[in-house]
Amino acid sequence: MSLNLEMLTQITIAFILASLILVCYMAFSKTKHSTTLNLPPGPPTLPVIGNIHQLAGSVPHRALRDLAKKYGPIMHLKLGNVSTIVFSSPRVAKEILKTHDIIFADRPKSEYTKIFYYNRTDIASAPYGDYWRQMKKICILQLLSEKKVKSFGSLRDEELGRLCDSLRSLSGSVVNFTEMIVGLINNIICRATFGNDYKAQDQIVLIQLIKDLLLTSGAVNVGEFFPRLKFVNVVLGIKSKRLKIHKQLDKVLEDALEDRKGKRDAGMERSDERLVDVLLRIKEEEEVQFPITLDNIKAVLLDMFVAGTDTSSATIMWAMAEMMRNQRVLKKAQQQIRETSRQKVTFTKNGTNSYPYLKLVIKETLRLHPPAPLLVPRECREQCKIDDYDIPAKTKVVVNAFACALDPEYWEDPESFIPERFENSSIDFIGNDYEFIPFGAGRRMCPGITFGTNSIETTLFELLYHFDWELPQGMEPQDINMEESHGITTTLKAPLQLVPFVHSQPNN
Ligand code: HEM
């Protein structure tokens, strides 16, 4: 879901330009099924735009949660001309992600994913089917397995060491925490994907192009809301802009692949393989049902960046912002980390198993600020019934994980940041508890959960262990701007400014 104000403004312009065509279009585009099916209730629609205007003024996950309070946990909306059904409670989320998981395991098509992800041959936007199954299996067992993530430990520690050095040199001054964390996570994912010697300049170009890619996903997207008006994207020049970014990205990825192929030819141990090497090896071995092409590899690598960078960095930022607002939590987490470290507890393979309070802080952060609050849209593969409502085939389906995580029937004082709520509780984010699904659930669940949580935990551990943190002079905890950004990933809208102070540890 990528609805933002800029997009809405641009949509309005597009509609003015195409208004005559649209009037004719609407006259012929009444959906056949609306009179015969028992669709879920929903807010009244406006001509042409349907319910799009009801998502303006607030971030979509909040606007949808508020609408669901009025229209119910299964709600039918018309976003432009596209029927969308939104599921907003843990009980109905379970219907989609478990009971009828296979029916809802598809992703909707879009021009954007077709262009950028090599005809949807990545994992996140690939249609449900044998190809997706093969690639998801490779992803779970080989690319992002616990063993593989563990093998990234030393590169991650090096990057963290570099970050801590630079924070030490800035001790006592205001730092742009957001920028530093985004840089850290980009470096970790870049090195895990392309190896240690991936050139810094190439990385800058790659990250900028991915930013541009994400921006055009939030640009006017008439084709998405009015499939029969895809030509408006052409008229507005959006398609050509996307094709241009894709061409540039393709070249950068192609160069990186060529470079790695050369290194592989010179001999490489399996244990030294980075994500790109794993995929190149599988391609060369030719043992999979669907032979993998270089384009498929590029599509999957793009997924790693798009799905893995902003989600992890956003969680670190939200956690720090919440702890700065809740000094009690910050002090408690720091105290446990420093006390336990003094007892020389070694790091476990899961990073910070010895620091249970930090884990609770991360869980509570992911509950209150899921980086993908609406998960990734699904598409219904065949008509089915949920709660007596008909869900027609091909309908776009959205699960509001944010609404589930704040559902007052499941959570006490849901709006407050209280890590202790997870103490002595078995509720976890691994896809079995539908009131807490920041990584989704079911077949389409996030395969990057170990990689993501590992980066988040180890980063927060280092930051809390080595530094004390203050707000810039004159700023109070309640002054922190907690506004959420629009876009594919929800992060802090304004950069988080903090002041690190080196913490001198007594000799351990
Ligand atoms: C805090 C970190 C992360 C969060 C909160 C997160 C969240 C999500 C969510 C909500 C989905 C959609 C699930 C659904 O539709 O049910 C997803 C899918 C996905 N994520 Fe993550 N993610 C994170 C980190 C990562 C990382 C580090 C990677 C890889 C390096 C990754 C790769 C993917 C991929 C490939 C998919 C598509 C799965 C499919 O369609 O089958 N994610 N993620």
Side-chain angles (χ1 to χ4, degrees), residues 460-487:
L460 285 172
F461 171 86
E462 294 292 326
L463 296 178
L464 297 186
Y465 183 83
H466 294 293
F467 300 95
D468 290 321
W469 294 90
E470 287 183 14
L471 291 169
Q473 215 176 9
M475 198 174 162
E476 298 297 325
Q478 65 272 16
D479 297 334
I480 298 176
N481 185 349
M482 297 295 276
E483 254 180 293
E484 296 160 312
S485 65
H486 288 256

Side-chain angles (χ1 to χ4, degrees), residues 97 105 107 122-126 132 136 139 144 189 193 275 300 303-313 315 366 369-378 401 437-453 455-456:
L97 304 173
R107 301 280 193 212
D122 60 328
I123 297 162
S125 73
W132 168 81
K136 180 100 184 221
C139 191
L144 301 173
I189 298 220
T193 306
L275 301 184
V300 172
D303 258 4
M304 301 296 115
F305 282 95
V306 173
T309 47
D310 289 357
T311 44
S312 306
S313 52
T315 309
L366 285 165
H369 306 284
L374 298 173
L375 305 183
V376 178
R378 311 276 184 117
I437 43 169
F439 295 95
R443 284 173 171 74
R444 284 284 188 170
M445 188 174 171
C446 176
I449 190 164
T450 308
F451 196 178
T453 49
S455 305
I456 295 164

Side-chain angles (χ1 to χ4, degrees), residues 168-272:
R168 270 184 208 104
S169 70
L170 293 165
S171 184
S173 30
V174 179
V175 299
N176 183 335
F177 186 79
T178 301
E179 204 175 271
M180 289 187 136
I181 296 302
V182 168
L184 170 83
I185 298 295
N186 283 343
N187 289 349
I188 293 176
I189 298 220
C190 237
R191 286 180 65 181
T193 306
F194 294 122
N196 290 351
D197 44 5
Y198 191 57
K199 290 194 201 83
Q201 188 49 36
D202 291 346
Q203 180 176 326
I204 292 169
V205 175
L206 175 69
I207 298 295
Q208 185 54 48
L209 285 168
I210 288 174
K211 262 194 210 160
D212 295 345
L213 173 160
L214 292 173
L215 273 178
T216 74
S217 78
V220 60
N221 202 347
V222 176
E224 193 178 324
F225 296 115
F226 298 90
R228 286 153 70 186
L229 290 180
K230 267 196 245 168
F231 69 89
V232 176
N233 277 356
V234 179
V235 175
L236 292 175
I238 287 157
K239 188 168 181 185
S240 62
K241 197 171 171 191
R242 286 176 171 168
L243 287 169
K244 191 173 158 204
I245 297 170
H246 167 68
K247 202 169 159 202
Q248 291 168 324
L249 251 176
D250 182 63
K251 167 93 178 62
V252 174
L253 292 169
E254 188 79 41
D255 289 349
L257 285 185
E258 278 308 313
D259 184 54
R260 279 318 272 191
K261 272 199 256 172
K263 295 204 166 79
R264 284 183 57 72
D265 292 345
M268 181 180 283
E269 294 292 320
R270 270 213 186 187
S271 53
D272 295 332

Side-chain angles (χ1 to χ4, degrees), residues 325-381:
R325 273 155 45 101
N326 297 275
Q327 290 285 315
R328 176 194 69 81
V329 174
L330 176 68
K331 299 276 171 288
K332 190 169 166 184
Q334 262 174 332
Q335 193 186 350
Q336 187 178 72
I337 284 171
R338 289 172 182 167
E339 284 292 318
T340 321
S341 293
R342 216 174 293 156
Q343 292 159 22
K344 295 216 183 295
V345 170
T346 49
F347 249 64
T348 67
K349 68 175 174 4
N350 287 326
T352 55
N353 262 352
S354 318
Y355 312 101
Y357 193 66
L358 183 59
K359 277 192 186 287
L360 304 190
V361 170
I362 293 167
K363 274 186 166 179
E364 182 64 341
T365 303
L366 285 165
R367 184 189 69 83
L368 213 47
H369 306 284
L374 298 173
L375 305 183
V376 178
R378 311 276 184 117
E379 187 177 274
C380 181
R381 298 169 63 230

